[in-house]
Amino acid sequence: MPHWDHLLIDCRLATLADDGRPYGAIEDAALAWHNGAITYAGPRAALPGRAESLATRVESVDGAWITPGLIDCHTHLVFAGQRAHEFEQRLAGASYADIARAGGGILATVAATRAASEEELLAQSLPRARALLADGVTTLEIKSGYGLTLDAEAKMLRVARRIGAELELTVRTAFLGAHALPPEFADRQAEYVDEVCVRMLPAIAREGLADAVDAFCERIAFTASEVRRVFESARALGLPVKLHADQLSDGGGAALAAEFGALSADHLEYTDEAGVRALAAAGTVAVLLPAAFYTLRESKLPPLDALRAHGVPLAVASDLNPGSAPILSLRQALNLACTLFGLTPEEALRGATVHAARALGLADRGVLAVGRRADCVVWNVAHPAELGYWIGGTLARAVFVAGRRAA
Ligand code: DI6
Ligand code: FE
């Protein structure tokens, strides 16, 4: 007779298992875990004994739906300050590129982030991570990219690691030194790319601060050949890559990401059919970032039909950042993915669980199945489609991280 730490009964499971059932749903179900790993996820009637005899703690959740913990696989959550004044400028007609060319945009946040101490940066960033955790996010990706010097980039990534330790949730980091050209390297882009590849990245890797390497491949940022240099350095250091690709123009980013076997290619509004085919062949996840599309009032949709036709896994993430996606809710990004990009609520939820886990290279989560991490959320909803239906608010009733109650 097994004996588990925790057993939830009177629940409905949206397992997100690929079993042909919508949401991988199991009605009148039970979910159990032991030492942080799921030991049972199935019909209550198939439990191997009386519920009370199976676990130290047995809890009814009154028929509530339970999903895997949500995974936000693309955020810029660590930064100082805010850019509401740029929001006003854009509403008055200025473009994102105009503001960037005038020294605002990313570089405005770079100045604020460089000026902040590590403690100040942590204090400003923790509330954003707590808000995501409170509404079901149990795994979080956090990028650097607002430091653009070795010390400031390392400071950001240390803060990201500390957020994971403080909130006891999983944080995966990405080095994004190739996010923008810092002012001290104005008109010296090639030299900055050298700085990123030769000095910054090896030092960041030596300190174990980055789980992956990202870059912004765009006309207002770095060219495909410059990104290729960054990716070659990452490969030499044994770090996986991901890419901000084809967001504002078709720069061949998706194809470049696929060439390097990237974990994911993100944004993709301007990716062409060849780029989609390359992603499919490489097994690279397409990460959709509808909040940036919405905030920048873009009009060119990602090639959803082609991505689906070629079987490219679709993930959905917040892109939480102070400029193009000042969004503090992954579930709100799910709503945008449905309303603006035409995803079904099930596709969107799969995009923030199974496919988001794959976009981070994490095979131990994203589905409610025996052996996976006991990251799960008990929701105050009557159907899992509500997770993408309601705009804003907090729907999570209980959030468990590796079987421990975290919110
Ligand atoms: N693409 C984006 O939309 C963000 N970064 C990127 O590579 C913008 C970040 C910012 O505006 O602060
Ligand atoms: Fe981003």
Side-chain angles (χ1 to χ4, degrees):
M1 177 80 77
H3 196 81
W4 303 320
D5 292 329
H6 208 134
L7 170 61
L8 300 180
I9 54 175
D10 303 329
C11 57
R12 291 180 284 181
L13 301 183
T15 67
L16 280 304
D18 194 7
D19 59 13
R21 292 177 297 203
Y23 300 92
I26 303 173
E27 301 276 350
D28 192 13
L31 178 69
W33 56 81
H34 190 72
N35 291 340
I38 294 173
T39 49
Y40 185 87
R44 177 179 178 172
L47 280 168
R50 279 183 330 100
E52 294 66 28
S53 64
L54 289 172
T56 305
R57 182 146 185 220
V58 181
E59 200 179 342
S60 163
V61 292
D62 311 316
W65 279 96
I66 301 177
T67 70
L70 301 187
I71 300 169
D72 198 343
C73 66
H74 181 134
T75 87
H76 305 255
L77 181 139
V78 170
F79 59 86
Q82 44 75 29
R83 294 185 357 229
H85 62 291
E86 290 184 12
F87 178 57
E88 292 173 318
Q89 289 170 338
R90 284 206 308 277
L91 291 172
S95 76
Y96 184 81
D98 294 340
I99 293 168
R101 273 191 285 271
I106 293 171
L107 293 187
T109 300
V110 168
T113 303
R114 285 178 171 181
S117 69
E118 184 170 320
E119 295 312 315
E120 287 164 344
L121 208 45
L122 180 64
Q124 292 188 39
S125 306
L126 262 178
R128 294 189 278 266
R130 283 202 176 91
L132 292 175
L133 173 62
D135 206 26
V137 174
T138 55
T139 298
L140 189 51
E141 186 256 19
I142 302 177
K143 307 172 189 296
S144 66
Y146 290 120
L148 308 186
T149 64
L150 174 55
D151 290 347
E153 288 288 302
K155 175 176 69 178
M156 289 187 69
L157 292 169
R158 280 196 300 274
V159 168
R161 289 272 193 250
R162 290 177 63 183
I163 288 171
E166 177 90 13
L167 299 184
E168 292 185 293
L169 51 72
T170 302
V171 165
R172 301 294 285 173
T173 61
F175 170 71
L176 180 57
H179 194 198
L181 185 66
E184 63 273 17
F185 279 89
D187 304 321
R188 294 189 296 131
Q189 181 126 336
E191 287 174 57
Y192 179 65
V193 174
D194 284 340
E195 175 74 5
V196 167
C197 298
V198 176
R199 186 161 170 269
M200 293 164 77
L201 187 43
I204 293 287
R206 220 174 8 256
E207 271 195 67
L209 287 172
D211 299 310
V213 176
D214 191 351
F216 186 14
C217 188
E218 192 56 64
R219 283 184 297 214
I220 59 170
F222 295 89
T223 64
S225 58
E226 289 166 337
V227 170
R228 178 182 296 280
R229 285 198 54 210
V230 174
F231 281 6
E232 283 163 352
S233 300
R235 178 183 278 170
L237 292 161
L239 288 171
V241 297
K242 55 179 72 184
L243 188 61
H244 285 70
D246 309 328
Q247 176 185 1
L248 307 172
S249 63
D250 183 359
L256 178 62
E259 182 189 331
F260 279 83
L263 291 170
S264 71
D266 304 32
H267 286 289
L268 305 180
E269 279 81 350
Y270 285 82
T271 298
D272 61 11
E273 177 82 14
V276 171
R277 279 200 301 273
L279 294 178
T284 297
V285 176
V287 177
L288 304 173
L289 302 169
F293 176 91
Y294 163 78
T295 302
L296 300 182
R297 293 190 282 186
E298 289 298 314
S299 52
K300 176 79 173 54
L301 289 171
L304 268 300
D305 293 345
L307 288 165
R308 288 192 183 100
H310 289 282
V312 178
L314 302 178
V316 178
S318 68
D319 195 15
L320 194 172
N321 74 71
S324 69
I327 184 171
L328 299 174
S329 162
L330 176 57
R331 270 199 322 97
Q332 203 154 335
L334 300 188
N335 174 273
L336 293 173
C338 296
T339 303
L340 299 180
F341 287 1
L343 267 64
T344 66
E346 181 181 1
E347 280 182 317
L349 186 55
R350 200 169 288 280
T353 51
V354 197
H355 294 159
R358 183 167 163 179
L360 295 179
L362 298 174
D364 67 343
R365 64 196 72 194
V367 180
L368 294 180
V370 172
R372 301 286 179 104
R373 270 172 65 94
D375 292 352
C376 62
V377 188
V378 181
W379 296 99
N380 289 318
V381 297
H383 191 283
E386 293 181 58
L387 299 178
Y389 159 73
W390 293 106
I391 301 173
T394 299
L395 297 179
R397 181 192 306 179
V399 183
F400 294 91
V401 175
R404 182 191 52 77
R405 179 77 185 265

